[in-house]
Every structure is written in C-alpha cells, then in structure tokens.
Amino acid sequence: MVNSYTSRFVLPLVGICLFGALPAAAVTLQPSAMTVTVPGTSAPVALDPGAPMSFTDDVFLNSLTFGTRTFTGTDNFRAASDFTVLSGRNQVNVEWGDDDDGSDGDDTPLVKAGITNTTNAEALGPADQDFALLQVFNSLSLSEMTDGEAGSAHSYRVLFENGITDNDAGVDDIPEIVFFERGRNDTFELLLILGGTFDDPILSDAITVSSESFAAPGLNVDTIEISGSQALGVGGFDLNDWGIPVGASVFGFEFRGSGADLSGIFASGLSDQFVPPLPPSVVPLPAGVLLLLTALGGFRVLRRRQA
C-alpha cells in the first residue's frame, strides 16, 4: 500500500489495523562496528563504545558493519541531493561543530551554501534555509546536523543521490537506510519516497522511529548550540519495515516530528542496489509550445493519479 501525502497502515506490520492507531514501529538495526575519517589523520579511526571520542570539528563516516556486511564510504553510501522544508519552517535550522571554522577546507553548512551572515542560522529565508540544510546531508559529515526545536512540529523531504532497492525479500539484518541522531532521545515518523517526482512524490505508509533504540558507537559531537558534547546514535532500517514490494525502489524520505537533531542520513547498499535518482519535478510546458505540439500531430499529457 502506498499513498500521496496520507498515512494508512500496513497489515503485515501491525497484525490488526485499528482505526486511529499509531503508525507501526520500525525495527532498528544496530551496527557491530564503525569507523570514521578525521581530517588531518592518515587512516580511518575505529570507534569504541566503551571509550567515546569527542569532536568539535569535522568528522566523516567511513564504514559501518551490519551482520556480515561492511559498508564503506562513497562506494556503499549515498547522501542527499535535494532538500525542502514542508512545514514548521521556523522550527528547524542548521547546526555545526564548535570549531568547524574551515581550517580543513570544509566550512559550516552556511558558508558552503554561500550565506555570508553565518551568525544567525535561525533567521534564514526559505531558499537559503533549504540549501543550507542540504549541505548538512549531501556529504558523509557527522558533525553538521539539523537542529529541531523540541516540542515544535516540523516536516521536511530529502532526496537521495541514487534510489535504493532491497537486498532481500524478507526482513534481515542488512539495512538500506541509515540515520544518525544526536542525543538518542527523540521519536519521529518516516515515510519513504517510492516514485513520482521530488515535488510530487508517491509515499509509503508512515513508520515510527525512536532514536532511543539507536546504537551509541562511541562518537560524541559538540556543536554551537549546546554546552557540551552529546552522543551521536546510529540506526539502520530495512525497507521491508515499510512493506515495500519486492523489486521496488526508494528514492528518499519525508521526516515528520519535532526535536530530532539528525546528521548523516544515507541510502546504504551494494553497487547493484543503486538505481538512478528521482527527477526533481515536472516542469509544465508553455501554452505556445503545447499549441505547436498539437499542430505537429497531437500528443497526450499523462498525469499521475493523485491518491
């Protein structure tokens, strides 16, 4: 079952569907090992949950191991290629590490978005805000993130660089989507983009995600709006949690919630699981062009049926 901007329920996931019930809960897959890349170091750094490392500057995801599979860098992860806030625009903004000053060539999300006023991330216009937030998710950075205001609802949509297909028809311990969340203390809903366009997507049913179930791999991040470092949690999710049909692809997601401070969000898989990305939008043709096409022999305008 899929929808466009509405949430229904997937019977295989909840057993019995009751009117007014909450969305089904996702099963969090926790990695058994994680390495990061730190600018200025020559080799990936292995994290230890028992001896957390704290970062105030840039740190990037290098690898995650789930079960028997290790995902590594840009070979196995796909970051974001588009981002837009859908609601509660004044309830979400960008955040970055205390010492993210560009000394390593990777400055704050605001600077990378070409915004010169970098002192007030909460006063951005819509276009600047969307582009600045995109900079949070379009690399393997783990020290740059969204800053969601606790208790204030907001939603946004993210498109991956490539679509991703499931590696198995059943629920297994190999995820296709990986999330990082600071604090491990928020609950939110995720709907996956199954088709359409980025501006007008076909959506899956909503699934509830609790970052309390995320693993704490030993990575703490100190950012500009908090007084000290907080643990960054990581959780992986199998597409079967959303009842995605075998062979179907996922191209991104919609987030609905409040308070969550999300950093890296990645599609994860082997090379043969990645497919071309979804188009951003369908641009209507000018009336003059439509008349010309009609004169040249006619055409059909196909419109995707709205649910």
Side-chain angles (χ1 to χ4, degrees), residues 285-301:
L285 294 173
V289 175
L290 297 179
L291 291 173
L292 176 61
L293 290 173
T294 302
L296 292 175
F299 65 97
R300 293 184 299 168
V301 178

Side-chain angles (χ1 to χ4, degrees), residues 97-286:
D98 277 340
D99 297 326
D100 192 358
D101 55 9
S103 61
D104 54 16
D106 187 52
D107 215 337
T108 74
L110 294 181
V111 170
K112 288 184 286 187
I115 300 167
T116 57
N117 175 18
T118 61
T119 60
N120 192 353
E122 299 184 16
L124 300 179
D128 285 342
Q129 185 191 35
D130 284 352
F131 195 52
L133 285 165
L134 174 61
Q135 308 312 305
V136 168
F137 294 137
N138 69 357
S139 73
L140 296 178
S141 173
L142 299 178
S143 59
E144 298 172 347
M145 63 189 67
T146 63
D147 175 29
E149 303 300 330
S152 301
H154 59 273
S155 62
Y156 53 79
R157 185 181 301 147
V158 176
L159 186 69
F160 290 132
E161 293 172 315
N162 289 96
I164 181 80
T165 54
D166 201 348
N167 70 305
D168 191 280
V171 176
D172 58 20
D173 60 356
I174 306 298
E176 280 76 45
I177 298 180
V178 175
F179 283 81
F180 287 83
E181 200 270 338
R182 186 186 66 187
R184 302 168 63 229
N185 56 0
D186 286 287
T187 298
F188 46 91
E189 292 183 12
L190 293 175
L191 300 86
L192 302 185
I193 299 175
L194 306 180
T197 68
F198 182 63
D199 291 340
D200 186 19
I202 299 171
L203 299 174
S204 75
D205 297 299
I207 288 291
T208 297
V209 172
S210 172
S211 64
E212 291 181 354
S213 64
F214 285 18
L219 173 62
N220 295 346
V221 178
D222 190 353
T223 59
I224 58 173
E225 287 194 356
I226 58 177
S227 58
S229 63
Q230 287 185 327
L232 199 66
V234 55
F237 299 93
D238 190 288
L239 296 185
N240 290 288
D241 273 341
W242 284 265
I244 305 301
V246 176
S249 298
V250 167
F251 301 92
F253 65 91
E254 284 193 7
F255 166 96
R256 299 176 183 175
S258 62
D261 300 328
L262 295 172
S263 55
I265 305 173
F266 311 110
S268 56
L270 301 180
S271 59
D272 60 357
Q273 291 180 253
F274 294 116
V275 298
L278 207 63
S281 62
V282 175
V283 180
L285 294 173

Side-chain angles (χ1 to χ4, degrees), residues 49-68:
M53 301 179 66
S54 293
F55 294 89
T56 59
D57 202 349
D58 293 307
V59 58
F60 298 89
L61 175 63
N62 181 72
S63 73
L64 285 171
T65 299
F66 291 90
T68 60

Side-chain angles (χ1 to χ4, degrees), residues 17-51:
C17 179
L18 300 177
F19 180 79
L22 293 174
V27 177
T28 303
L29 302 172
Q30 297 189 349
S32 57
M34 176 176 167
T35 65
V36 295
T37 300
V38 182
T41 61
S42 58
V45 176
L47 298 179
D48 179 359

